[in-house]
């Protein structure tokens, strides 16, 4: 007899793949047992059933690696717990490199593995051949071996998670489609199914390829698109050892998995094939897509080069099945900004099996605790904007995103597809000046400027790229004269109303009850003292404030404000990012430059630091804000969009006698690193407290009404020396470059990892910033008495630590 669908539940999980079953399993482990999982057809029938079942532990970042490692640990014990076979084995993995840049990437990963605590060995081609006897090593220059990586049966591990969930009290229903959402305003109220409604407190969208369409029923943007994904299975291969490591040849876009004496060979090819542009067929269930041998032939040839035995072996299976991919190759996790208690775990970019355990655990804890249990910004769904859910954007980007999994992950590498989405009104002017654009949240932004006959395009490397000298010239122009940057992409919000001051003061660690025209640097904290946002607040009227934040935080910031506004607070919040262009003029000659264009008193006495005024500038009235993110005298000019081109031209003309240069975001980064300025999302996130981040000076503990997180900050402050602190390091050797995730050593022991790194041209060496931990407290005495090193590509380099900025620590350059 069929089970009766309950009328209510605490949590409804939509989707019965490995992700949905993992979420349900982990909810039950936390004691959240009033859970219903609904699957439209049968468990695993979407993407899970045809996954390759690879379970590697090392990902692109430390946080994602820790989640993948948890998945492997879970699968290792799941059969014993549930009695359901999973097929999990730790056969290890072997990744080969056929060129120096790829080998450098692998060695950087091996260094990061040490931070994560994974065994990872860098080996030579002969050692690789010993591990994989059928391997052609003629063009292999090196490899890495991860012995704890594994593989599993996707269907079996999903069924094991389902068994564990049922044992924990979860009800699982197959053959029930969710038709719609029930909402109470902007909050989950339940789901509408083919067999009746279920009222609930939480909904979790684990609908895989269907997650985008299902998200729309609640007004939630879930940017993902299906793509065809291919693999072949050979006939039995003589000499193929059982249990050999999973082999990856990224340069051939291929992986090789031994399966009962046969090889499963999968491809992540460039120029992939999007699928389902007109929707996924209603009856889709365990379906395969048509073969396309012509599309796959070049990659099969490369695979046969790596394993020559394949050329003498027939193909038993040619498989093509759809999988969903996201615009940035990172999955979506967490509570949707558009709808309270609506959670998403979808878009796993062919890494769903390796990610399911960790993602399920994190999302279950997020529901239980009401906040992310660790730093999950890499995959937080709040990073997205509505335009990223459009069909055209996703379809074009999907042609690139599948292949990017196996492309060389160079620092500063830019997407090629779905470009030109958001352009500053100054875009064409910047292009004519030689701008080489990168993309951030859809914005085309000048990262550096080509000069003379130099081609305006990237030449990627893990070393000094072709724009290194351009960066140096731009950097020196800002330090010594004057530079101009189009900063229009930064997120901008107006907060107005009689309760605006009190509302913002509750959110802000600093005090925004300041005179009109005063700027305040501040953070927004959570109840644990962690940093939710890093921004400036400018009082522009008695009841009006301008809030400016980073480009990537637009959705997150707006959701934070709207969710913290009380019903009785008369506050109006508007995103005005597109209303204003921002021209930033920085450097010791910035005052001289701007004084040619305005009669306003720009002297230090007449226009002090952290002051903002509306002034005449050329033919426009602009908001000039004296602030800096590069550590020099300067102004940000907030200009109504239609006036910005004329003002920009006038600034360039006025600064010509001082050698004014346009500069890009790479230069902003090198300048801010020398000054020790943090970047939200890299250096500070919601799990880093304001004291650990070295930003306690922004806390006004005496202001009326306090602020969110005040009690947590005071409690941590009372504990004495912090065991974790944000430190800036300067390399003694001028040659190495580091970017992020590199291990930090103190006295030979790993004590942290780099969050940001960039060559500092004023300092003459790379600057790295990151957190270090020391149980007795990270004090100046301990820093001074310890020997520090940072490992880059498996080589350790001596570095000097500092709690202060390397450049102008007394801020003398800014306040002149």
């Amino acid at each position: 007899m069929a089970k009766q669908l309950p009328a209510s539940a605490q949590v409804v999980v939509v989707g019965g793949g490995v992700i949905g079953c993992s979420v349900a399993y982990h909810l039950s482990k936390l004691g959240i047992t009033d859970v219903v999982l609904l699957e439209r057809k049968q468990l695993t029938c979407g993407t899970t059933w045809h996954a390759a079942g690879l379970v590697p532990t090392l990902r692109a970042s430390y946080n994602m690696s820790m989640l993948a490692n948890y998945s492997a640990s879970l699968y290792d014990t799941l059969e014993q717990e549930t009695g359901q076979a999973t097929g999990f084995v730790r056969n290890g993995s072997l990744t080969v490199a056929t060129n120096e840049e790829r080998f450098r990437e692998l060695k950087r990963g091996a260094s990061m593995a040490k931070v994560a605590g994974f065994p990872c060995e860098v080996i030579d081609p002969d050692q690789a051949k010993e591990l994989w006897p059928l391997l052609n090593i003629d063009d292999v220059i090196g490899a890495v071996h991860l012995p704890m990586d594994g593989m599993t049966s996707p269907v079996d591990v999903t069924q094991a998670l389902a068994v564990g969930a049922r044992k924990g009290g979860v009800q699982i229903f197959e053959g029930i489609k969710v038709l719609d959402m029930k909402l109470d305003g902007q909050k989950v109220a339940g789901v509408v199914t083919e067999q009746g409604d279920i009222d609930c407190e939480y909904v979790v969208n684990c609908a895989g390829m269907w997650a985008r369409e299902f998200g729309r029923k609640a007004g939630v943007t879930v940017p993902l698109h299906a793509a065809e994904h291919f693999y072949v299975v050979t006939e039995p291969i003589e000499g193929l050892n059982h249990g050999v490591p999973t082999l990856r040849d990224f340069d051939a876009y291929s992986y090789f998995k031994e399966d009962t004496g046969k090889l499963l060979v999968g491809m992540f090819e460039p120029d992939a094939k999007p699928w389902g542009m007109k929707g996924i067929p209603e009856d889709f269930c365990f379906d395969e897509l048509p073969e396309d041998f012509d599309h796959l032939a070049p990659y099969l040839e490369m695979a046969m080069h790596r394993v020559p035995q394949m050329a003498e072996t027939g193909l038993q299976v040619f498989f093509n099945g759809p999988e969903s991919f996201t615009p940035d190759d990172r999955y979506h996790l967490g509570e949707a900004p558009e709808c309270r208690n609506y959670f998403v775990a979808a878009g796993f970019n062919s890494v769903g099996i390796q990610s399911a355990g960790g993602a399920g655990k994190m999302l279950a804890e997020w529901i239980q605790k009401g906040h992310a249990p660790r730093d999950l910004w890499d995959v937080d769904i709040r990073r997205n904007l509505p335009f990223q859910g459009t069909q055209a954007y996703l379809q074009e980007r999907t042609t690139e995103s599948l292949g990017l999994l196996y492309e060389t992950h160079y620092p500063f590498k830019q997407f090629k597809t779905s470009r030109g989405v958001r352009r500053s009104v100054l875009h064409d002017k910047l292009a004519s000046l030689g701008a080489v654009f990168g993309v951030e949240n859809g914005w085309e932004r000048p990262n550096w400027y080509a000069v003379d006959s130099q081609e305006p395009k990237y030449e990627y490397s893990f070393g000094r790229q072709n724009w290194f000298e351009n960066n140096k010239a731009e950097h020196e122009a800002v330090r010594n004269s004057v530079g101009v940057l189009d900063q229009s992409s930064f997120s901008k919000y107006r907060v107005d109303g009689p309760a605006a001051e009190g509302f913002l003061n509750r959110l802000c660690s600093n005090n925004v009850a300041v005179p009109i025209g005063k700027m305040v640097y501040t953070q927004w904290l959570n109840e644990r003292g962690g940093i939710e946002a890093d921004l400036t607040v400018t009082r522009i009227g008695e009841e009006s404030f301008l809030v400016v934040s980073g480009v990537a935080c637009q959705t997150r910031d707006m959701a934070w404000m709207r969710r913290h506004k009380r019903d009785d607070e008369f506050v109006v919040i508007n995103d005005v990012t597109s209303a204003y262009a921002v021209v930033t003029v920085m450097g010791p000659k910035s005052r001289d430059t701007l004084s040619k264009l305005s009669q306003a008193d720009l002297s230090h006495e007449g226009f002090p630091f952290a002051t903002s005024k509306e002034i005449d500038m050329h033919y426009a009235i602009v908001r000039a804000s004296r602030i800096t993110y590069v550590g020099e005298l300067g102004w940000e000019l907030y200009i109504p969009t239609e006036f910005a081109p004329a003002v920009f031209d006038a600034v360039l003309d006025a600064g010509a006698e001082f050698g004014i240069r346009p500069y890009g975001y790479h230069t902003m980064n090198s300048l801010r690193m020398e000054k020790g300025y943090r970047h939200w999302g890299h250096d500070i996130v919601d799990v880093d407290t304001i004291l650990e981040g070295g930003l306690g000076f922004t806390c006004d503990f005496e202001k009326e009404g306090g602020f969110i997180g005040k009690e947590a900050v005071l409690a941590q402050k009372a504990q004495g020396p912090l065991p974790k602190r944000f430190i800036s390091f300067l390399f003694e050797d001028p040659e190495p470059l580091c970017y992020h995730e590199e291990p930090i050593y103190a006295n030979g022991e790993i004590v942290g990892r780099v969050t940001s790194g960039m060559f500092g041209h004023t300092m003459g060496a790379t600057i790295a910033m990151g957190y270090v931990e020391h149980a007795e407290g990270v004090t100046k005495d301990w820093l001074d008495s310890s020997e520090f090193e940072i490992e880059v590509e498996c080589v350790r380099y001596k570095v000097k630590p500092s709690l202060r900025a390397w450049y102008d620590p007394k801020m003398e350059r800014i306040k002149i």
Side-chain angles (χ1 to χ4, degrees):
M1 182 176 176
K3 289 191 300 182
Q4 179 70 34
L5 202 65
S8 65
Q10 184 179 5
V11 184
V12 171
V13 179
V14 180
V18 68
I19 305 300
C21 289
S22 178
V23 171
Y25 169 87
H26 284 94
L27 285 168
S28 72
K29 289 295 182 183
L30 295 175
I32 302 174
T33 59
D34 186 13
V35 178
V36 171
L37 185 150
L38 302 175
E39 164 55 46
R40 58 183 286 277
K41 296 290 187 180
Q42 294 175 247
L43 296 185
T44 78
C45 74
T47 296
T48 298
W49 72 275
H50 63 73
L54 306 182
V55 190
T57 52
L58 189 63
R59 296 290 310 281
S61 70
Y62 169 81
N63 287 316
M64 294 301 100
S65 297
M66 297 307 290
L67 297 193
N69 184 54
Y70 170 78
S71 294
S73 300
L74 172 65
Y75 302 160
D76 211 3
T77 61
L78 200 55
E79 180 175 346
Q80 181 180 356
E81 176 193 340
T82 64
Q84 164 71 46
T86 63
F88 179 77
V89 294
R90 288 191 186 270
N91 61 317
S93 72
L94 175 69
T95 305
V96 299
T98 60
N99 60 74
E100 188 58 40
E101 288 296 326
R102 177 70 75 180
F103 197 27
R104 295 179 74 173
E105 180 182 15
L106 296 185
K107 287 187 285 187
R108 285 178 178 270
S111 290
M112 186 182 71
K114 297 176 184 177
V115 183
F118 304 157
C120 180
E121 185 181 10
V122 179
I123 60 177
D124 62 33
D126 290 333
Q127 292 171 304
K129 181 83 170 178
E130 290 178 17
L131 288 168
W132 232 91
L134 297 183
L135 179 68
N136 172 20
I137 60 171
D138 289 349
D139 55 348
V140 172
I141 65 172
V144 295
H145 176 223
L146 284 137
M148 299 304 288
D149 283 2
M151 58 183 184
T152 193
S153 164
V155 171
D156 288 343
V157 82
T158 303
Q159 293 294 351
L161 290 165
V163 169
R166 287 190 182 101
K167 286 184 175 181
V170 174
Q171 297 185 72
I172 297 178
F173 295 85
E174 296 179 273
I176 296 181
K177 183 178 179 180
V178 180
L179 302 175
D180 208 346
M181 287 290 303
K182 296 174 67 176
L183 303 177
D184 180 7
Q186 293 183 320
K187 186 176 182 180
V188 163
V191 297
V192 178
T193 83
E194 294 172 316
Q195 297 185 21
D197 298 357
I198 303 177
D199 294 335
C200 62
E201 186 178 353
Y202 300 94
V203 164
V204 186
N205 180 348
C206 300
M209 295 182 291
W210 295 265
R212 173 169 161 254
E213 292 304 319
F214 181 58
R216 285 179 169 175
K217 297 180 185 300
V220 171
T221 299
V222 186
L224 55 80
H225 199 293
E228 299 183 28
H229 179 48
F230 300 88
Y231 63 72
V232 299
V233 180
T234 70
E235 299 286 350
I237 294 180
E238 185 178 350
L240 179 62
N241 296 339
H242 176 66
V244 294
T246 299
L247 172 66
R248 292 182 181 83
D249 181 357
F250 290 143
D251 296 317
Y253 304 99
S254 301
Y255 63 86
F256 306 78
K257 170 192 171 184
E258 185 273 330
D259 186 5
T260 63
K262 308 166 189 176
L263 266 186
L264 184 155
V265 185
M267 286 79 177
F268 289 102
E269 73 280 5
D271 195 21
K273 298 178 66 179
W275 179 79
M277 282 73 75
K278 297 181 179 179
I280 300 171
E282 180 63 29
D283 59 353
F284 189 92
C285 179
F286 297 112
D287 287 17
E288 296 184 30
L289 304 181
E291 297 179 2
D292 189 342
F293 189 83
D294 290 341
H295 177 77
L296 208 60
Y299 308 103
L300 279 172
E301 290 180 11
M302 287 190 277
M304 288 186 283
H305 169 75
R306 187 58 53 223
V307 183
Q309 195 89 356
M310 283 183 61
E312 304 171 15
T313 308
L315 296 182
Q316 192 176 80
V317 175
F318 189 111
F319 183 83
N320 179 11
E323 299 189 21
S324 59
F325 289 83
T326 66
D328 57 7
D329 269 353
R330 293 179 278 151
Y331 54 86
H332 301 311
L333 198 70
E335 187 179 12
E338 302 95 336
C339 186
R340 294 301 300 264
N341 293 356
Y342 188 106
F343 285 78
V344 177
F348 278 82
N349 306 286
S350 274
V351 298
I353 303 301
Q354 66 174 276
S355 304
K361 184 176 190 292
M362 291 298 100
L363 196 137
E365 292 181 6
W366 199 328
I367 290 173
Q368 180 198 46
K369 296 178 179 180
H371 62 80
R374 63 179 302 153
D375 175 14
L376 296 172
W377 180 238
D378 278 356
V379 292
D380 194 320
I381 193 168
R382 290 173 292 177
R383 72 187 187 276
N384 297 302
L385 286 165
F387 78 86
Q388 292 172 307
T390 60
Q391 178 69 42
Y393 177 88
L394 287 169
Q395 183 176 335
E396 182 180 345
R397 176 57 60 83
T398 301
T399 64
E400 179 181 14
S401 55
L402 182 145
L404 286 177
L405 288 173
Y406 276 17
E407 289 279 3
T408 305
H409 298 97
Y410 290 113
F412 312 108
K413 188 169 184 177
Q414 302 298 320
F415 290 104
K416 298 176 182 177
T417 55
S418 298
R419 295 294 298 267
V421 179
R422 305 173 81 185
R423 291 182 177 178
S424 159
V425 69
L426 301 175
H427 178 274
D428 291 348
K429 289 184 176 293
L430 306 181
S432 70
L433 294 170
V436 181
F437 294 95
V439 63
E440 184 69 38
N441 251 24
W443 282 99
E444 296 292 325
R445 309 201 306 173
N447 279 346
W448 58 281
Y449 285 83
V451 295
D452 301 326
S453 60
Q454 184 181 14
E455 188 176 2
K457 65 181 291 187
Y458 278 92
E459 295 174 11
Y460 294 113
S461 166
F462 285 97
R464 286 159 168 74
Q465 297 186 10
N466 64 318
W467 48 266
F468 185 83
E469 291 300 324
N470 305 65
N471 173 216
K472 179 181 180 181
E474 293 171 21
H475 185 109
E476 290 176 345
V478 177
R479 285 280 181 255
N480 301 320
S481 183
V482 59
V484 59
L485 172 72
D486 177 14
Q487 203 171 301
S488 303
S489 61
F490 273 43
S491 302
K492 302 174 279 290
Y493 324 106
R494 278 285 300 263
V495 181
D496 298 277
E501 178 187 296
F503 165 70
L504 284 173
N505 245 353
R506 190 172 73 253
L507 268 59
C508 296
S509 59
N510 215 334
N511 193 346
V512 301
V514 294
I516 295 172
K518 181 68 176 175
M519 305 182 72
V520 178
Y521 173 55
T522 186
Q523 282 71 44
W524 291 343
L525 307 183
N526 52 46
E527 297 288 355
R528 303 165 305 285
I531 303 170
E532 294 285 347
D534 179 72
L535 36 78
T536 60
V537 177
T538 303
R539 187 164 209 154
I540 58 178
E542 285 294 336
E543 299 181 351
S544 299
F545 296 82
L546 175 66
V547 180
V548 179
S549 184
V551 60
C553 303
Q554 192 169 357
T555 298
R556 182 190 180 101
D557 291 341
M558 286 296 289
W560 188 261
M561 284 190 284
R562 286 171 175 162
R563 291 189 177 185
H564 284 85
K565 188 182 83 68
R566 296 170 179 161
D567 291 341
D568 62 351
E569 287 181 310
F570 188 0
V571 176
V572 178
I573 304 167
N574 283 302
D575 187 329
V576 295
T577 299
S578 300
Y580 297 96
V582 181
V583 174
T584 296
V585 185
M586 292 286 155
K589 294 296 184 180
S590 58
R591 179 180 286 123
D592 296 332
T593 298
L594 295 180
S595 292
K596 291 183 175 184
L597 304 175
S598 178
Q599 294 184 1
D601 183 358
L602 300 181
S603 68
H604 183 62
E605 295 73 23
F607 208 129
F609 181 72
T611 295
S612 181
K613 299 179 181 180
E614 283 195 338
I615 64 173
D616 291 358
M617 182 68 63
H618 191 49
Y619 300 141
I621 298 173
V622 310
R623 173 163 295 280
S625 297
R626 188 176 166 193
I627 199 75
T628 182
Y629 192 50
V630 299
E632 298 292 343
L633 170 71
W635 280 261
E636 294 174 353
L637 307 178
Y638 292 78
I639 312 166
T641 303
E642 67 272 26
F643 291 99
V647 172
F648 180 77
D649 287 343
V651 169
L652 288 180
D653 289 343
E657 70 170 288
F658 309 116
I660 194 170
R661 290 187 73 126
Y663 66 99
Y665 281 84
H666 292 337
T667 297
M668 171 187 271
N669 199 36
S670 62
L671 293 163
R672 70 101 182 169
M673 293 279 293
E674 291 186 332
K675 199 66 180 67
Y677 290 148
R678 283 68 160 159
H679 181 283
W680 197 94
H682 285 93
D683 307 314
I684 46 177
V685 291
D686 52 357
V687 298
D688 304 314
T689 71
I690 197 167
L691 297 181
E692 293 167 346
L695 299 170
F697 64 89
T698 70
C699 292
D700 185 340
F701 297 109
E702 304 301 322
K703 68 176 178 176
E704 183 179 354
F707 55 89
I708 297 171
K710 173 183 174 181
E711 291 73 16
V713 177
L714 288 173
Q716 187 177 48
K717 194 174 184 180
Q719 292 175 1
L722 298 173
K724 169 188 168 184
R725 292 186 75 175
F726 187 77
I727 305 296
S728 184
F729 297 92
L730 181 66
F731 278 70
E732 294 185 7
D733 187 330
E735 284 306 308
L737 301 177
C738 77
Y739 305 103
H740 57 84
E741 308 290 3
E742 293 87 354
I744 302 170
Y745 292 82
N747 306 318
E749 300 292 331
I750 293 177
V751 295
R753 58 190 172 91
V754 172
T755 55
S756 292
M758 194 78 172
F759 193 90
H761 293 281
T762 310
M763 305 309 300
T766 291
I767 294 169
M769 304 197 297
Y771 291 91
V772 299
E773 298 187 31
H774 180 58
E776 286 75 36
V778 180
T779 62
K780 187 176 185 303
D781 288 343
W782 178 72
L783 292 172
D784 291 344
S785 63
S786 300
E787 297 289 332
F788 284 91
E789 299 168 299
I790 291 178
E791 182 174 321
V792 179
E793 296 175 15
C794 299
V795 177
R796 296 189 201 176
Y797 297 90
K798 290 184 178 180
V799 292
K800 302 173 185 176
S802 178
L803 289 164
R804 306 177 71 194
W806 292 103
Y807 178 79
D808 189 27
K810 296 182 180 179
M811 296 180 66
E812 294 172 340
R813 303 272 297 184
I814 296 172
K815 298 179 179 179
I816 56 175

